[in-house]
Amino acid sequence: MATRPGTTMNTIDRLLSSELAGEIEFLTARTRSLGSARANMLLEPLDLKVRSYSVLSLACSGLAPTQRELAEFLSLDPSQIVPLVDQLEGRGLVERTADPNDRRSKVITGTKSGEQLYTKAREATAEGEAVAMAKLSKAEQETLRDLLSRIAFRD
Amino acid sequence: MATRPGTTMNTIDRLLSSELAGEIEFLTARTRSLGSARANMLLEPLDLKVRSYSVLSLACSGLAPTQRELAEFLSLDPSQIVPLVDQLEGRGLVERTADPNDRRSKVITGTKSGEQLYTKAREATAEGEAVAMAKLSKAEQETLRDLLSRIAFRD
DNA sequence: CTTAATCGTTGACTTTATCAAGAGTTTAAG
DNA sequence: CTTAAACTCTTGATAAAGTCAACGATTAAG
């Protein structure tokens, strides 16, 4: 399928007719690439990245996750959680507490200043999300959230 | 918000009530992480990964993309395209051709054997997509594709 | 003709991903 | 109770991916 001569088309519009452009795998990859780039920009003034923000968010959720749980939920290797928590703990934003029920595990919880920073960070990611979904109606946004949630957590 | 004692909950169900679990940014990141892991598994017998598959797909699309266009469409740095094309070209799957209109650019096109491999690879990724979207109705699948496409290519 | 901009490529460097092994803790079996 | 197996965090090695500046060749602008 060739481009009609005479029409000026940018790269994206041209390749949009490819089979790849219709694949969910590709669409999610591109969406998350653009989204995390923007989120990282918005989080930079707070010295956070998407990764550290995600850990901080769960730490401040009141759900008292262990590092193992963070790794599973965030699709990361347990060994990747260690330096993330190290850094946040070093800044006084989260705390490691030995789980009294199972002293192998360490529960990660947000400190006061951790929660204060999280509040600001949450505003940043909310803004990023608003920008990303600007072209969707509120109803469509909720539909997208529901559909993605169901395929991200099937099982 | 604490878990009711007496109920046994796995990690994912517990953390599903977190604020993070409702963020599009997080949902797309998790979806693509699970999806690309599965796609890589299914593509492994063909000695392809999601990355090389994507390049092969666009090379076989008939749209004759340049390396620059591949980079932009795939959200990659131009320097990352080089070894990807090198590898595919070394296997005789794609060809680099100097663009006659602009000899700075190199157009990437699939060879006969490249197209044959792409046919098989496309079946693999289609199966992966079917697994990922198993819990969604056909109508919901098309809705998801449309919504994602609109936020992946806004502008 | 000169200058600036673009494309592919290379190389250096940082970040992220993957994997095996170890110390401490808990669970299960005998 | 004791021993073996399984689990959690941590470390370290290694591979893969991302970022960025610079260069030769080519094209576009003035």
Side-chain angles (χ1 to χ4, degrees):
Chain A
M1 185 180 303
T3 308
R4 277 197 312 281
T7 48
T8 333
M9 253 180 161
N10 65 25
T11 297
I12 288 182
D13 288 337
R14 278 193 59 232
L15 301 184
L16 218 44
S17 65
S18 66
E19 197 173 15
L20 184 69
E23 296 190 38
I24 296 291
E25 170 70 29
F26 166 70
L27 292 172
T28 56
R30 195 180 149 99
T31 299
R32 96 101 209 187
S33 182
L34 298 180
S36 86
R38 179 175 37 241
N40 278 329
M41 262 188 45
L42 293 167
L43 288 170
E44 196 186 13
L46 305 177
D47 267 300
L48 289 174
K49 294 187 172 189
V50 173
R51 282 290 167 76
S52 42
Y53 163 77
S54 300
V55 171
L56 179 62
S57 172
L58 292 170
C60 294
S61 67
L63 297 170
T66 67
Q67 296 190 192
R68 207 77 186 182
E69 292 176 317
L70 291 175
E72 184 183 352
F73 202 64
L74 299 177
S75 313
L76 296 178
D77 191 89
S79 64
Q80 294 180 272
I81 301 295
V82 177
L84 281 170
V85 173
D86 282 350
Q87 187 185 335
L88 293 175
E89 191 182 33
R91 294 171 61 184
L93 302 171
V94 305
E95 281 178 349
R96 270 186 248 243
T97 318
D99 184 345
N101 297 24
D102 183 347
R103 296 196 353 265
R104 288 172 301 184
S105 301
K106 298 184 180 174
V107 171
I108 309 302
T109 53
T111 64
K112 283 263 171 61
S113 82
E115 292 184 7
Q116 289 174 2
L117 185 63
Y118 170 63
T119 300
K120 295 180 195 168
R122 180 66 187 98
E123 291 172 12
T125 61
E127 181 192 338
E129 185 166 310
V131 171
M133 305 227 281
K135 293 231 175 141
L136 272 49
S137 72
K138 287 294 173 194
E140 285 172 331
Q141 292 181 21
E142 290 318 306
T143 300
L144 178 58
R145 208 185 304 274
D146 172 64
L147 294 177
L148 272 180
S149 178
R150 282 163 60 195
I151 73 177
F153 295 109
R154 81 189 163 302
D155 299 339
Chain B
M1 186 180 302
T3 308
R4 279 196 311 282
T7 49
T8 333
M9 253 180 162
N10 66 26
T11 296
I12 288 181
D13 288 337
R14 277 191 60 231
L15 300 185
L16 218 43
S17 65
S18 65
E19 197 173 16
L20 185 69
E23 295 190 39
I24 295 290
E25 170 71 27
F26 167 71
L27 292 172
T28 57
R30 195 179 150 98
T31 299
R32 95 101 209 189
S33 182
L34 298 179
S36 85
R38 179 176 38 242
N40 278 329
M41 263 188 44
L42 293 168
L43 289 170
E44 196 187 13
L46 305 177
D47 267 301
L48 289 174
K49 294 188 171 186
V50 173
R51 282 291 167 77
S52 41
Y53 163 77
S54 300
V55 172
L56 179 62
S57 172
L58 292 171
C60 294
S61 67
L63 297 171
T66 67
Q67 295 190 194
R68 208 75 183 187
E69 292 176 317
L70 291 175
E72 184 182 353
F73 202 64
L74 299 176
S75 312
L76 295 177
D77 190 89
S79 65
Q80 294 180 275
I81 302 295
V82 177
L84 282 170
V85 173
D86 281 350
Q87 187 186 336
L88 293 174
E89 191 181 33
R91 294 171 63 184
L93 300 172
V94 305
E95 281 177 347
R96 270 187 246 243
T97 317
D99 185 343
N101 297 24
D102 184 345
R103 299 199 346 268
R104 287 172 302 184
S105 302
K106 297 184 182 175
V107 171
I108 309 302
T109 52
T111 63
K112 283 265 172 59
S113 82
E115 292 184 7
Q116 290 175 2
L117 185 65
Y118 170 64
T119 301
K120 295 181 195 168
R122 180 66 186 98
E123 292 172 10
T125 60
E127 181 193 336
E129 183 166 310
V131 171
M133 306 226 282
K135 293 230 174 142
L136 271 49
S137 73
K138 287 292 173 193
E140 286 171 331
Q141 293 179 22
E142 290 317 304
T143 300
L144 178 58
R145 208 185 306 275
D146 172 64
L147 295 177
L148 272 181
S149 178
R150 282 164 58 194
I151 71 178
F153 295 108
R154 80 191 162 301
D155 299 336

